[in-house]
């Protein structure tokens, strides 16, 4: 939607729309109790009890004030330890900044790095917050394709082709939203070489790191030789611990960037929410079996959704390697995926997100979240199939 106001900056007036919210807004006009929501980008589980209890304790003991702006030291130490032990990332505690969700991280990092006219290599499809924030800095995303035949990985050869003398950074989101792709170690190594060769900074968004399937392994590009000093690792508690509403995440940054990153973070939020920091500390230091249980449940749903989508004629779907989204291709039915998503809401009462809202290569696709119960998934997919059958009967003969 183009808003014309003489007060808005040119960049703000033209900021690309957030596809996920656009479709949620459209769906809100319809009766909620009828609707099956497969558009939601957050775990449908409650935050585990041991985390909530620690937060309550923090409130009761008066830990409700501003904290150090980069976060309480216990949490920063726990994050640095986790990164070292699990991700082989040796950031110093001083280079950890606790932020109000990874989304704040994206804003702070793009502010810290980008000049007008800089180019940022980003996948297509992409997580829309990146394009919005790159746009708001007057910089430009340069897209490289994620294709189903490569497991929706960002391929190093495409990255190399996208580099120009204006390139400042490469954004890697693995596991990926919206495609579910996971970068292999081989591709990460090849991209790391490109980053080093052209002196680029890498922003590695690892927020779905624990949610991988079929024995896949998540790798952190910052752990590769020569990469820690040029990698910003972004992570958060939202997806792994079902903590979306607590608004808590973290950045780990190369030493030369940390002071200004922390300055911008302070200017933006002063400090992350105090109670959420104690909850995050409990999450990261407590028992991890609730994470495993969630991932097991996502895994069962993933199996179901892929099998069920493959039963629908002319729908092509690659099994996601990570995260909790399937990204099926409906282009044999229509390329107007936005109309399809809206019609599914209006006529079939099932909410998905149009693929083109995540970039041009998403056209013809829908993002279907399986952060919904198996029974909801079953109902939603039955409705999608019925809608297709009614409108394209010839595809079902
Ligand atoms: C790839 C990616 N990065 C960042 C975020 C933002 O997460 P947070 O809740 O930590 O702000 C999301 C949320 O959907 C995401 O999918």
């Amino acid at each position: 939607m183009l808003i014309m106001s003489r007060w808005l900056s040119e960049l703000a007036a033209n900021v690309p729309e957030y596809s996920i919210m656009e479709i949620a807004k459209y769906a809100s006009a319809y009766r909620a109790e009828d609707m099956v929501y497969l558009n939601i980008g957050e775990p449908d589980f409650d935050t585990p009890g041991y985390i909530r209890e620690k937060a309550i304790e923090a409130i009761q003991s008066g830990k409700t004030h501003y904290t150090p702006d980069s976060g309480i030291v216990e949490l920063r130490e726990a994050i640095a330890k986790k990164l070292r032990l699990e991700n082989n990332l040796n950031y110093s505690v001083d280079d950890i900044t606790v932020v109000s969700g990874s989304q704040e991280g994206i804003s702070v990092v793009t502010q810290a790095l980008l000049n007008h006219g800089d180019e940022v290599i980003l996948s297509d499809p992409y997580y829309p917050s990146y394009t919005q924030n790159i746009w708001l800095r007057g910089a430009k995303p340069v897209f490289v394709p994620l294709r189903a035949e490569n497991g929706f990985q960002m391929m190093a050869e495409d990255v190399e082709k996208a580099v120009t003398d204006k390139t400042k950074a490469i954004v890697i989101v693995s596991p990926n939203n919206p495609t579910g792709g996971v970068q292999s170690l081989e591709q990460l190594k090849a991209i790391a070489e490109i980053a080093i060769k052209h002196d680029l900074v890498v922003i590695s968004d690892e927020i779905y790191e624990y949610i991988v399937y079929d024995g896949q392994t998540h790798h952190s590009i910052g752990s590769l030789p020569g990469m820690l000093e040029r990698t910003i690792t972004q992570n958060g508690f939202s997806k792994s611990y079902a903590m979306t509403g607590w608004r808590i995440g973290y950045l780990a940054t190369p030493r030369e960037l940390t002071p200004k990153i922390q300055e911008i973070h302070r200017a933006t939020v002063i400090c992350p929410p105090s109670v959420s920091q104690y909850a995050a500390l409990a999450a990261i230091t407590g028992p991890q079996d609730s994470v495993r249980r969630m991932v097991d449940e996502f895994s069962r749903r993933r199996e179901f959704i892929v099998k069920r989508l493959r039963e629908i004629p002319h729908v092509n779907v690659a099994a996601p390697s990570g995260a909790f989204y399937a990204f099926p291709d409906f282009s044999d039915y229509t390329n107007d995926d936005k109309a399809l998503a809206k019609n599914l809401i209006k006529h079939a009462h099932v909410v998905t997100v149009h693929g083109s809202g995540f970039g041009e290569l998403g056209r013809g696709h829908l993002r279907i979240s399986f952060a919904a119960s198996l029974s909801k998934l079953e109902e939603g997919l039955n409705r999608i199939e019925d809608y297709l059958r009614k409108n394209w009967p010839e595809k079902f003969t």
Side-chain angles (χ1 to χ4, degrees):
M1 195 192 338
L2 188 63
I3 298 178
M4 292 299 193
S5 163
R6 64 194 179 286
W7 291 309
L8 283 171
S9 74
E10 235 170 77
L11 289 173
N14 294 293
V15 67
E17 266 210 335
Y18 203 63
S19 52
I20 304 165
M21 288 306 148
E22 189 190 344
I23 210 75
K25 226 185 288 167
Y26 182 82
S28 67
Y30 294 85
R31 276 200 318 139
E33 64 268 31
D34 270 344
M35 208 55 89
V36 176
Y37 293 95
L38 304 181
N39 60 321
I40 311 289
E42 62 172 330
D44 54 319
F45 307 105
D46 289 329
T47 305
Y50 71 95
I51 299 174
R52 284 182 278 155
E53 274 159 28
K54 288 290 179 196
I56 292 165
E57 256 175 49
I59 295 172
Q60 300 294 17
S61 60
K63 291 174 173 156
T64 53
H65 299 268
Y66 290 136
T67 69
D69 40 61
S70 301
I72 54 173
V73 73
E74 308 92 288
L75 178 57
R76 296 171 74 205
E77 279 171 359
I79 291 167
K81 184 173 171 196
K82 175 253 180 264
L83 291 176
R84 192 170 64 249
L85 296 180
E86 290 184 6
N87 305 82
N88 198 19
L89 293 168
N90 289 307
Y91 293 102
S92 126
V93 176
D94 294 339
D95 295 321
I96 307 294
T97 308
V98 183
V99 291
S100 302
S102 287
Q103 199 90 338
E104 189 218 320
I106 298 170
S107 171
V108 166
V109 164
T110 49
Q111 286 182 73
L113 295 180
L114 300 177
N115 290 314
H116 271 247
D118 280 348
E119 293 180 357
V120 179
I121 295 177
L122 187 66
S123 66
D124 177 2
Y126 49 77
Y127 175 55
S129 178
Y130 284 101
T131 39
Q132 288 190 312
N133 277 286
I134 292 166
W135 173 272
L136 286 168
R137 316 297 161 231
K140 185 179 154 209
V142 174
F143 296 114
V144 298
L146 301 183
R147 297 190 194 283
E149 61 264 30
N150 299 320
F152 288 120
Q153 289 187 80
M154 196 184 229
M155 304 303 283
E157 63 190 64
D158 295 324
V159 173
E160 179 74 66
K161 279 189 233 150
V163 176
T164 72
D165 56 3
K166 296 201 176 102
T167 309
K168 174 71 74 70
I170 305 171
V171 175
I172 299 173
V173 179
S174 175
N176 187 263
N177 176 9
T179 64
V182 172
Q183 291 292 123
S184 67
L185 186 56
E186 185 196 350
Q187 286 305 318
L188 288 178
K189 280 182 177 164
I191 293 172
E193 271 177 33
I194 296 166
I196 291 169
K197 180 169 133 199
H198 298 282
D199 193 23
L200 307 176
V201 54
V202 171
I203 301 164
S204 181
D205 182 331
E206 307 186 8
I207 194 162
Y208 295 97
E209 69 169 327
Y210 291 142
I211 310 173
V212 289
Y213 308 109
D214 286 349
Q216 286 266 355
T217 314
H218 164 77
H219 300 281
S220 296
I221 192 165
S223 68
L224 299 175
M227 287 304 290
L228 193 76
E229 53 267 42
R230 61 176 68 251
T231 302
I232 294 173
T233 303
Q234 288 231 115
N235 209 327
F237 297 85
S238 287
K239 317 288 176 176
S240 303
Y241 299 97
M243 289 179 68
T244 47
W246 300 77
R247 309 312 304 126
I248 194 87
Y250 55 90
L251 292 171
T253 48
R255 175 55 53 87
E256 65 180 292
L257 293 176
T258 300
K260 293 300 174 193
I261 292 265
Q262 293 183 345
E263 197 69 52
I264 297 166
H265 158 73
R266 188 181 308 121
T268 310
V269 296
I270 302 182
C271 67
S274 60
V275 174
S276 300
Q277 293 186 59
Y278 288 96
L281 180 61
I284 203 169
T285 55
Q288 301 296 302
D289 33 318
S290 51
V291 180
R292 278 188 289 276
R293 271 199 302 278
M294 261 192 292
V295 176
D296 286 348
E297 179 58 25
F298 285 138
S299 179
R300 276 190 285 280
R301 296 170 184 180
R302 164 187 176 265
E303 234 164 81
F304 168 78
I305 194 174
V306 169
K307 181 170 158 284
R308 185 65 187 87
L309 281 165
R310 285 180 179 163
E311 286 166 5
I312 306 175
H314 302 279
V315 173
N316 293 306
V317 62
S321 303
F324 40 67
Y325 310 103
F327 202 62
D329 180 356
F330 291 83
S331 58
D332 277 0
Y333 290 90
T334 177
N335 259 322
D336 193 348
D337 52 295
K338 194 165 178 178
L340 178 61
K342 286 187 169 176
N343 282 329
L344 283 171
I345 292 169
K346 191 168 173 189
H347 301 293
H349 289 190
V350 52
V351 190
T352 60
V353 186
H354 52 291
S356 58
F358 301 95
E360 196 41 46
L361 286 183
R363 195 164 294 286
H365 295 66
L366 296 177
R367 189 192 76 169
I368 303 183
S369 162
F370 45 96
S373 67
L374 269 175
S375 61
K376 292 271 182 218
L377 283 172
E378 190 171 4
E379 178 61 28
L381 287 163
N382 287 344
R383 289 184 190 186
I384 291 172
E385 181 169 31
D386 289 348
Y387 177 81
L388 295 173
R389 192 190 302 275
K390 218 177 275 166
N391 288 277
W392 286 274
E394 70 283 3
K395 304 274 188 205
F396 284 79
T397 50

